[in-house]
Amino acid sequence: MPIEGPLRELSIHDVFQLLDLSRKTGRLRVSSTLRNNEGTVHFRGGRVIGASIRSNPHPIGQILLRAGKITEEELERACSIHGRPGESRRLGDILVDLGFVTRRELERQIRRQIEAVLFELLSWQEGWFSFVEEEEGDGDLDPESGLSVESVLMEAARRIDEWTRITDLIPDLACIPMLADAPLERQARLELTPMEWQVLGAVDGHTDIRGIAAEVGISDFDAAKIVYGLLTTGVVTLAGGGRAKEPTPDASALLAQARDALLRGELNTAVSAWRRLLLLYPHDERAALARSALEQAARLKELAEVR
């Protein structure tokens, strides 16, 4: 019998803790009509051994390629073997067997991929969850190397605090970064990691942060964090002059923004204000109002789709 229900009655954090404490093995599905998104998490003995999300379906081969761990030729050779009739090995296992990547590096990249999905799902305040028990939990990691729910929840809490700092410069993921007119001497001294160079290379003045994350193949959080660093060093600016730091609005101001947007008939603007309130002030008493409003907005969208 599946364990299921709305996230407004049992938060996603509580769901994870329940599956951890009861050492469950099976598949958890989390869906959000408001986000038009769905994620799947695989558990074995209460540990997370796999996760995927519809909005960012990057296969492990592409992740290894973008990280510079394998070449395009090596990936093509592994894919050709993977596509042969009767071949049952996973693509990652084939890459390891061919000697193109170590088992340790493969698992490290898989863990990063799983963590990115989990942190995205743990930020959801509304939606529906359903857990189905299975005898053998499917996933990409062995139980011994799987992620503990406790460590994931602690890291998620840390990221929420970091998001608060990031939003001082980047109000939301729809912001569009663009290259700043940095002096040549500053550009020459620029020292960035390979991933930071990839994000900087994707900055074209037209693509927003969420689009850059999808193009580079990283999480929204990691993309926003890198753009934040580039903003503070003056390498990029935000389209429309968004470089200047603005004071973070309090919960009452965000509720007022949402109310004014509704009066103007701008539901999407109101939804953005409610989401930001939940992100900045998840434990404020007014967060309950924002969460309820988001649930109502999701129902309205469902009714509109039915009609």
Side-chain angles (χ1 to χ4, degrees):
M1 183 176 179
I3 304 172
E4 59 182 17
L7 293 179
R8 68 175 182 272
E9 295 182 3
L10 189 64
S11 73
I12 188 64
H13 292 74
D14 292 336
V15 172
F16 270 66
Q17 288 181 325
L18 173 64
L19 299 178
D20 174 32
L21 292 173
S22 54
R23 300 292 186 266
K24 291 291 187 180
T25 295
R27 182 181 68 254
L28 172 69
R29 292 189 183 278
V30 186
S31 60
S32 170
T33 302
L34 191 63
R35 293 175 172 80
N36 190 28
N37 205 359
E38 180 179 281
T40 302
V41 183
H42 299 278
F43 288 82
R44 187 179 297 167
R47 298 180 70 86
V48 178
I49 59 172
S52 61
I53 193 166
R54 188 170 63 198
S55 62
N56 197 14
H58 294 288
I60 187 60
Q62 291 298 321
I63 291 175
L64 289 168
L65 181 62
R66 289 194 177 98
K69 303 303 178 181
I70 59 174
T71 65
E72 291 187 6
E73 291 75 16
E74 290 171 341
L75 178 58
E76 289 177 2
R77 182 180 173 187
C79 287
S80 66
I81 297 175
H82 187 251
R84 293 174 182 173
E87 179 58 62
S88 59
R89 288 176 298 172
R90 298 176 186 270
L91 180 62
D93 293 332
I94 295 175
L95 288 166
V96 171
D97 292 342
L98 290 173
F100 295 156
V101 67
T102 65
R103 174 67 62 182
R104 180 177 181 180
E105 182 61 35
L106 174 65
E107 291 190 354
R108 190 175 77 88
Q109 294 296 332
I110 290 175
R111 287 173 66 89
R112 288 186 60 186
Q113 180 189 28
I114 293 173
E115 287 171 348
V117 173
L118 296 181
F119 296 141
E120 168 66 19
L121 294 178
L122 287 168
S123 70
W124 293 9
Q125 302 288 339
E126 48 71 39
W128 184 270
F129 75 90
S130 176
F131 178 79
V132 177
E133 290 193 67
E134 299 171 341
E135 291 185 4
E136 293 293 334
D138 190 19
D140 299 305
L141 295 174
D142 294 327
E144 293 77 12
S145 57
L147 283 70
S148 73
V149 169
E150 182 180 1
S151 64
V152 169
L153 293 179
M154 290 179 61
E155 176 63 15
R158 186 195 67 78
R159 289 194 174 209
I160 289 176
D161 292 339
E162 195 163 359
W163 261 119
T164 302
R165 177 173 57 85
I166 291 173
T167 53
D168 283 343
L169 284 183
I170 305 174
D172 56 63
L173 296 171
C175 290
I176 299 175
M178 56 189 297
L179 295 176
D181 296 327
L184 292 177
E185 58 269 20
R186 180 186 298 175
Q187 297 181 18
R189 296 196 306 267
L190 201 58
E191 295 183 2
L192 301 177
T193 65
M195 186 59 67
E196 289 170 337
W197 277 115
Q198 289 188 50
V199 170
L200 183 59
V203 172
D204 56 9
H206 302 287
T207 306
D208 63 14
I209 295 174
R210 184 177 281 108
I212 290 175
E215 179 180 341
V216 178
I218 59 177
S219 68
D220 292 343
F221 173 82
D222 288 334
K225 184 177 179 180
I226 290 174
V227 171
Y228 177 87
L230 296 173
L231 280 168
T232 56
T233 55
V235 177
V236 303
T237 183
L238 295 183
R243 172 67 172 85
K245 181 175 180 178
E246 299 179 357
T248 303
D250 60 24
S252 297
L254 289 169
L255 282 179
Q257 289 178 17
R259 180 199 62 209
D260 294 341
L262 286 178
L263 292 175
R264 297 192 302 269
E266 300 173 356
L267 180 58
N268 288 339
T269 302
V271 167
S272 296
W274 289 324
R275 285 179 177 172
R276 194 176 181 200
L277 191 156
L278 288 173
L279 177 65
L280 294 174
Y281 309 104
H283 304 299
D284 190 284
E285 59 182 8
R286 283 154 294 194
L289 296 175
R291 188 174 296 109
S292 176
L294 284 170
E295 292 168 357
Q296 294 297 327
R299 293 193 187 99
L300 287 174
K301 185 175 181 180
E302 289 176 352
L303 289 174
E305 291 175 350
V306 170
R307 293 178 181 177

mmCIF file of all heavy atoms in Angstrom, residues 3-35:
data_model
loop_
_atom_site.group_PDB
_atom_site.id
_atom_site.type_symbol
_atom_site.label_atom_id
_atom_site.label_comp_id
_atom_site.label_asym_id
_atom_site.label_seq_id
_atom_site.Cartn_x
_atom_site.Cartn_y
_atom_site.Cartn_z
ATOM 1 N N ILE A 3 2.347 5.054 0.411
ATOM 2 C CA ILE A 3 2.244 6.174 1.349
ATOM 3 C C ILE A 3 2.180 7.430 0.500
ATOM 4 O O ILE A 3 3.108 7.720 -0.260
ATOM 5 C CB ILE A 3 3.466 6.220 2.282
ATOM 6 C CG1 ILE A 3 3.647 4.894 3.018
ATOM 7 C CG2 ILE A 3 3.335 7.372 3.278
ATOM 8 C CD1 ILE A 3 4.950 4.806 3.799
ATOM 9 N N GLU A 4 1.095 8.176 0.590
ATOM 10 C CA GLU A 4 0.947 9.331 -0.284
ATOM 11 C C GLU A 4 0.118 10.415 0.385
ATOM 12 O O GLU A 4 -0.564 10.182 1.389
ATOM 13 C CB GLU A 4 0.296 8.922 -1.612
ATOM 14 C CG GLU A 4 -1.083 8.294 -1.458
ATOM 15 C CD GLU A 4 -1.653 7.856 -2.789
ATOM 16 O OE1 GLU A 4 -0.901 7.741 -3.773
ATOM 17 O OE2 GLU A 4 -2.886 7.616 -2.838
ATOM 18 N N GLY A 5 0.198 11.607 -0.194
ATOM 19 C CA GLY A 5 -0.573 12.726 0.332
ATOM 20 C C GLY A 5 -0.021 14.055 -0.152
ATOM 21 O O GLY A 5 1.030 14.118 -0.805
ATOM 22 N N PRO A 6 -0.715 15.148 0.163
ATOM 23 C CA PRO A 6 -0.246 16.483 -0.228
ATOM 24 C C PRO A 6 0.868 16.963 0.692
ATOM 25 O O PRO A 6 0.883 16.651 1.884
ATOM 26 C CB PRO A 6 -1.504 17.344 -0.085
ATOM 27 C CG PRO A 6 -2.303 16.653 0.976
ATOM 28 C CD PRO A 6 -2.044 15.183 0.809
ATOM 29 N N LEU A 7 1.801 17.713 0.142
ATOM 30 C CA LEU A 7 2.910 18.230 0.934
ATOM 31 C C LEU A 7 2.468 19.277 1.940
ATOM 32 O O LEU A 7 3.221 19.611 2.847
ATOM 33 C CB LEU A 7 3.983 18.824 0.000
ATOM 34 C CG LEU A 7 4.716 17.812 -0.890
ATOM 35 C CD1 LEU A 7 5.733 18.519 -1.770
ATOM 36 C CD2 LEU A 7 5.383 16.717 -0.063
ATOM 37 N N ARG A 8 1.262 19.810 1.780
ATOM 38 C CA ARG A 8 0.784 20.782 2.765
ATOM 39 C C ARG A 8 0.450 20.097 4.088
ATOM 40 O O ARG A 8 0.383 20.746 5.129
ATOM 41 C CB ARG A 8 -0.444 21.523 2.228
ATOM 42 C CG ARG A 8 -1.694 20.677 2.082
ATOM 43 C CD ARG A 8 -2.889 21.514 1.657
ATOM 44 N NE ARG A 8 -4.105 20.730 1.546
ATOM 45 C CZ ARG A 8 -4.489 20.086 0.450
ATOM 46 N NH1 ARG A 8 -3.729 20.160 -0.641
ATOM 47 N NH2 ARG A 8 -5.596 19.386 0.410
ATOM 48 N N GLU A 9 0.231 18.774 4.072
ATOM 49 C CA GLU A 9 -0.068 18.033 5.287
ATOM 50 C C GLU A 9 1.177 17.360 5.873
ATOM 51 O O GLU A 9 1.291 17.196 7.085
ATOM 52 C CB GLU A 9 -1.148 16.983 5.003
ATOM 53 C CG GLU A 9 -2.502 17.590 4.628
ATOM 54 C CD GLU A 9 -3.556 16.534 4.402
ATOM 55 O OE1 GLU A 9 -3.253 15.333 4.581
ATOM 56 O OE2 GLU A 9 -4.687 16.903 4.026
ATOM 57 N N LEU A 10 2.086 16.952 5.000
ATOM 58 C CA LEU A 10 3.340 16.336 5.448
ATOM 59 C C LEU A 10 4.442 16.888 4.555
ATOM 60 O O LEU A 10 4.482 16.602 3.363
ATOM 61 C CB LEU A 10 3.265 14.809 5.332
ATOM 62 C CG LEU A 10 4.429 14.014 5.956
ATOM 63 C CD1 LEU A 10 4.462 14.230 7.461
ATOM 64 C CD2 LEU A 10 4.299 12.531 5.633
ATOM 65 N N SER A 11 5.316 17.708 5.132
ATOM 66 C CA SER A 11 6.341 18.366 4.329
ATOM 67 C C SER A 11 7.298 17.344 3.736
ATOM 68 O O SER A 11 7.437 16.228 4.246
ATOM 69 C CB SER A 11 7.122 19.378 5.178
ATOM 70 O OG SER A 11 7.989 18.708 6.076
ATOM 71 N N ILE A 12 7.983 17.745 2.663
ATOM 72 C CA ILE A 12 8.926 16.842 2.009
ATOM 73 C C ILE A 12 10.057 16.465 2.955
ATOM 74 O O ILE A 12 10.565 15.336 2.911
ATOM 75 C CB ILE A 12 9.467 17.489 0.710
ATOM 76 C CG1 ILE A 12 10.301 16.481 -0.075
ATOM 77 C CG2 ILE A 12 10.263 18.743 1.025
ATOM 78 C CD1 ILE A 12 9.526 15.295 -0.575
ATOM 79 N N HIS A 13 10.444 17.385 3.850
ATOM 80 C CA HIS A 13 11.474 17.056 4.851
ATOM 81 C C HIS A 13 10.980 15.934 5.769
ATOM 82 O O HIS A 13 11.733 14.995 6.078
ATOM 83 C CB HIS A 13 11.821 18.284 5.695
ATOM 84 C CG HIS A 13 12.515 19.364 4.937
ATOM 85 N ND1 HIS A 13 11.855 20.183 4.034
ATOM 86 C CD2 HIS A 13 13.812 19.770 4.925
ATOM 87 C CE1 HIS A 13 12.723 21.033 3.512
ATOM 88 N NE2 HIS A 13 13.909 20.807 4.036
ATOM 89 N N ASP A 14 9.719 16.003 6.196
ATOM 90 C CA ASP A 14 9.156 14.974 7.069
ATOM 91 C C ASP A 14 9.041 13.639 6.338
ATOM 92 O O ASP A 14 9.235 12.573 6.940
ATOM 93 C CB ASP A 14 7.780 15.404 7.577
ATOM 94 C CG ASP A 14 7.854 16.583 8.527
ATOM 95 O OD1 ASP A 14 8.923 16.779 9.132
ATOM 96 O OD2 ASP A 14 6.857 17.319 8.647
ATOM 97 N N VAL A 15 8.722 13.687 5.051
ATOM 98 C CA VAL A 15 8.629 12.463 4.257
ATOM 99 C C VAL A 15 9.985 11.765 4.220
ATOM 100 O O VAL A 15 10.094 10.552 4.443
ATOM 101 C CB VAL A 15 8.146 12.775 2.823
ATOM 102 C CG1 VAL A 15 8.236 11.521 1.951
ATOM 103 C CG2 VAL A 15 6.716 13.294 2.837
ATOM 104 N N PHE A 16 11.040 12.525 3.955
ATOM 105 C CA PHE A 16 12.384 11.957 3.912
ATOM 106 C C PHE A 16 12.763 11.350 5.264
ATOM 107 O O PHE A 16 13.349 10.258 5.326
ATOM 108 C CB PHE A 16 13.391 13.035 3.517
ATOM 109 C CG PHE A 16 13.620 13.141 2.033
ATOM 110 C CD1 PHE A 16 12.603 13.564 1.195
ATOM 111 C CD2 PHE A 16 14.836 12.811 1.473
ATOM 112 C CE1 PHE A 16 12.793 13.670 -0.168
ATOM 113 C CE2 PHE A 16 15.047 12.900 0.109
ATOM 114 C CZ PHE A 16 14.023 13.328 -0.717
ATOM 115 N N GLN A 17 12.467 12.060 6.349
ATOM 116 C CA GLN A 17 12.813 11.549 7.677
ATOM 117 C C GLN A 17 12.032 10.277 7.992
ATOM 118 O O GLN A 17 12.566 9.352 8.609
ATOM 119 C CB GLN A 17 12.538 12.620 8.729
ATOM 120 C CG GLN A 17 13.540 13.777 8.683
ATOM 121 C CD GLN A 17 13.274 14.812 9.745
ATOM 122 O OE1 GLN A 17 12.118 15.088 10.090
ATOM 123 N NE2 GLN A 17 14.328 15.418 10.274
ATOM 124 N N LEU A 18 10.762 10.214 7.574
ATOM 125 C CA LEU A 18 9.944 9.022 7.798
ATOM 126 C C LEU A 18 10.541 7.816 7.079
ATOM 127 O O LEU A 18 10.652 6.722 7.663
ATOM 128 C CB LEU A 18 8.520 9.279 7.305
ATOM 129 C CG LEU A 18 7.568 8.076 7.317
ATOM 130 C CD1 LEU A 18 7.344 7.599 8.752
ATOM 131 C CD2 LEU A 18 6.235 8.437 6.665
ATOM 132 N N LEU A 19 10.941 8.000 5.832
ATOM 133 C CA LEU A 19 11.510 6.892 5.061
ATOM 134 C C LEU A 19 12.869 6.480 5.622
ATOM 135 O O LEU A 19 13.239 5.300 5.553
ATOM 136 C CB LEU A 19 11.643 7.301 3.592
ATOM 137 C CG LEU A 19 10.323 7.654 2.891
ATOM 138 C CD1 LEU A 19 10.590 8.097 1.455
ATOM 139 C CD2 LEU A 19 9.369 6.463 2.903
ATOM 140 N N ASP A 20 13.595 7.440 6.174
ATOM 141 C CA ASP A 20 14.903 7.147 6.773
ATOM 142 C C ASP A 20 14.730 6.341 8.065
ATOM 143 O O ASP A 20 15.357 5.291 8.236
ATOM 144 C CB ASP A 20 15.629 8.467 7.046
ATOM 145 C CG ASP A 20 16.942 8.256 7.797
ATOM 146 O OD1 ASP A 20 17.590 7.214 7.588
ATOM 147 O OD2 ASP A 20 17.306 9.129 8.609
ATOM 148 N N LEU A 21 13.878 6.817 8.951
ATOM 149 C CA LEU A 21 13.701 6.163 10.250
ATOM 150 C C LEU A 21 13.113 4.759 10.115
ATOM 151 O O LEU A 21 13.438 3.862 10.896
ATOM 152 C CB LEU A 21 12.802 7.017 11.144
ATOM 153 C CG LEU A 21 13.394 8.364 11.596
ATOM 154 C CD1 LEU A 21 12.350 9.184 12.339
ATOM 155 C CD2 LEU A 21 14.626 8.140 12.466
ATOM 156 N N SER A 22 12.238 4.564 9.109
ATOM 157 C CA SER A 22 11.615 3.247 8.927
ATOM 158 C C SER A 22 12.416 2.357 7.989
ATOM 159 O O SER A 22 11.986 1.240 7.670
ATOM 160 C CB SER A 22 10.187 3.411 8.384
ATOM 161 O OG SER A 22 10.174 4.189 7.198
ATOM 162 N N ARG A 23 13.597 2.861 7.547
ATOM 163 C CA ARG A 23 14.513 2.093 6.695
ATOM 164 C C ARG A 23 13.790 1.511 5.466
ATOM 165 O O ARG A 23 13.953 0.343 5.117
ATOM 166 C CB ARG A 23 15.166 0.959 7.488
ATOM 167 C CG ARG A 23 15.981 1.424 8.684
ATOM 168 C CD ARG A 23 17.224 2.178 8.206
ATOM 169 N NE ARG A 23 18.113 2.537 9.296
ATOM 170 C CZ ARG A 23 18.083 3.707 9.935
ATOM 171 N NH1 ARG A 23 17.209 4.618 9.570
ATOM 172 N NH2 ARG A 23 18.908 3.961 10.925
ATOM 173 N N LYS A 24 13.026 2.346 4.811
ATOM 174 C CA LYS A 24 12.219 1.910 3.679
ATOM 175 C C LYS A 24 13.060 1.663 2.423
ATOM 176 O O LYS A 24 14.088 2.300 2.202
ATOM 177 C CB LYS A 24 11.153 2.956 3.354
ATOM 178 C CG LYS A 24 10.057 3.087 4.400
ATOM 179 C CD LYS A 24 9.175 1.856 4.434
ATOM 180 C CE LYS A 24 7.981 2.045 5.360
ATOM 181 N NZ LYS A 24 7.119 0.835 5.400
ATOM 182 N N THR A 25 12.582 0.745 1.602
ATOM 183 C CA THR A 25 13.164 0.475 0.289
ATOM 184 C C THR A 25 12.061 0.625 -0.751
ATOM 185 O O THR A 25 11.005 -0.011 -0.634
ATOM 186 C CB THR A 25 13.746 -0.950 0.208
ATOM 187 O OG1 THR A 25 14.834 -1.064 1.121
ATOM 188 C CG2 THR A 25 14.228 -1.269 -1.200
ATOM 189 N N GLY A 26 12.295 1.494 -1.725
ATOM 190 C CA GLY A 26 11.271 1.713 -2.735
ATOM 191 C C GLY A 26 11.478 3.005 -3.495
ATOM 192 O O GLY A 26 12.577 3.563 -3.520
ATOM 193 N N ARG A 27 10.384 3.490 -4.100
ATOM 194 C CA ARG A 27 10.442 4.650 -4.986
ATOM 195 C C ARG A 27 9.500 5.751 -4.509
ATOM 196 O O ARG A 27 8.323 5.523 -4.267
ATOM 197 C CB ARG A 27 10.048 4.233 -6.403
ATOM 198 C CG ARG A 27 10.114 5.339 -7.434
ATOM 199 C CD ARG A 27 9.691 4.849 -8.808
ATOM 200 N NE ARG A 27 8.266 4.526 -8.861
ATOM 201 C CZ ARG A 27 7.775 3.297 -8.891
ATOM 202 N NH1 ARG A 27 8.592 2.261 -8.853
ATOM 203 N NH2 ARG A 27 6.466 3.090 -8.942
ATOM 204 N N LEU A 28 10.049 6.945 -4.355
ATOM 205 C CA LEU A 28 9.275 8.121 -3.963
ATOM 206 C C LEU A 28 9.108 9.031 -5.172
ATOM 207 O O LEU A 28 10.089 9.401 -5.820
ATOM 208 C CB LEU A 28 9.988 8.886 -2.842
ATOM 209 C CG LEU A 28 9.394 10.249 -2.461
ATOM 210 C CD1 LEU A 28 8.032 10.068 -1.782
ATOM 211 C CD2 LEU A 28 10.347 11.021 -1.556
ATOM 212 N N ARG A 29 7.872 9.390 -5.472
ATOM 213 C CA ARG A 29 7.584 10.342 -6.547
ATOM 214 C C ARG A 29 7.020 11.621 -5.928
ATOM 215 O O ARG A 29 6.135 11.563 -5.081
ATOM 216 C CB ARG A 29 6.590 9.772 -7.555
ATOM 217 C CG ARG A 29 7.120 8.612 -8.377
ATOM 218 C CD ARG A 29 6.149 8.243 -9.499
ATOM 219 N NE ARG A 29 6.598 7.094 -10.245
ATOM 220 C CZ ARG A 29 7.488 7.115 -11.232
ATOM 221 N NH1 ARG A 29 8.022 8.289 -11.578
ATOM 222 N NH2 ARG A 29 7.848 6.010 -11.855
ATOM 223 N N VAL A 30 7.541 12.748 -6.359
ATOM 224 C CA VAL A 30 7.076 14.049 -5.884
ATOM 225 C C VAL A 30 6.725 14.881 -7.107
ATOM 226 O O VAL A 30 7.565 15.061 -8.003
ATOM 227 C CB VAL A 30 8.152 14.774 -5.048
ATOM 228 C CG1 VAL A 30 7.577 16.044 -4.448
ATOM 229 C CG2 VAL A 30 8.692 13.866 -3.960
ATOM 230 N N SER A 31 5.492 15.374 -7.168
ATOM 231 C CA SER A 31 5.050 16.150 -8.325
ATOM 232 C C SER A 31 4.509 17.499 -7.871
ATOM 233 O O SER A 31 3.991 17.634 -6.767
ATOM 234 C CB SER A 31 3.971 15.400 -9.111
ATOM 235 O OG SER A 31 2.836 15.147 -8.300
ATOM 236 N N SER A 32 4.647 18.498 -8.748
ATOM 237 C CA SER A 32 4.155 19.840 -8.463
ATOM 238 C C SER A 32 3.490 20.395 -9.719
ATOM 239 O O SER A 32 4.157 20.604 -10.738
ATOM 240 C CB SER A 32 5.297 20.754 -8.024
ATOM 241 O OG SER A 32 4.867 22.109 -7.969
ATOM 242 N N THR A 33 2.187 20.607 -9.652
ATOM 243 C CA THR A 33 1.463 21.204 -10.773
ATOM 244 C C THR A 33 1.893 22.642 -10.962
ATOM 245 O O THR A 33 2.015 23.133 -12.091
ATOM 246 C CB THR A 33 -0.052 21.137 -10.522
ATOM 247 O OG1 THR A 33 -0.437 19.774 -10.335
ATOM 248 C CG2 THR A 33 -0.827 21.723 -11.692
ATOM 249 N N LEU A 34 2.143 23.326 -9.853
ATOM 250 C CA LEU A 34 2.538 24.733 -9.924
ATOM 251 C C LEU A 34 3.859 24.887 -10.676
ATOM 252 O O LEU A 34 4.032 25.821 -11.463
ATOM 253 C CB LEU A 34 2.672 25.304 -8.509
ATOM 254 C CG LEU A 34 2.832 26.819 -8.388
ATOM 255 C CD1 LEU A 34 1.598 27.521 -8.912
ATOM 256 C CD2 LEU A 34 3.085 27.213 -6.941
ATOM 257 N N ARG A 35 4.780 23.969 -10.463
ATOM 258 C CA ARG A 35 6.081 24.030 -11.123
ATOM 259 C C ARG A 35 6.107 23.264 -12.446
ATOM 260 O O ARG A 35 7.089 23.332 -13.180
ATOM 261 C CB ARG A 35 7.168 23.453 -10.209
ATOM 262 C CG ARG A 35 7.448 24.269 -8.974
ATOM 263 C CD ARG A 35 8.435 23.547 -8.079
ATOM 264 N NE ARG A 35 8.883 24.379 -6.970
ATOM 265 C CZ ARG A 35 8.203 24.590 -5.864
ATOM 266 N NH1 ARG A 35 7.020 24.023 -5.720
ATOM 267 N NH2 ARG A 35 8.682 25.369 -4.908
#
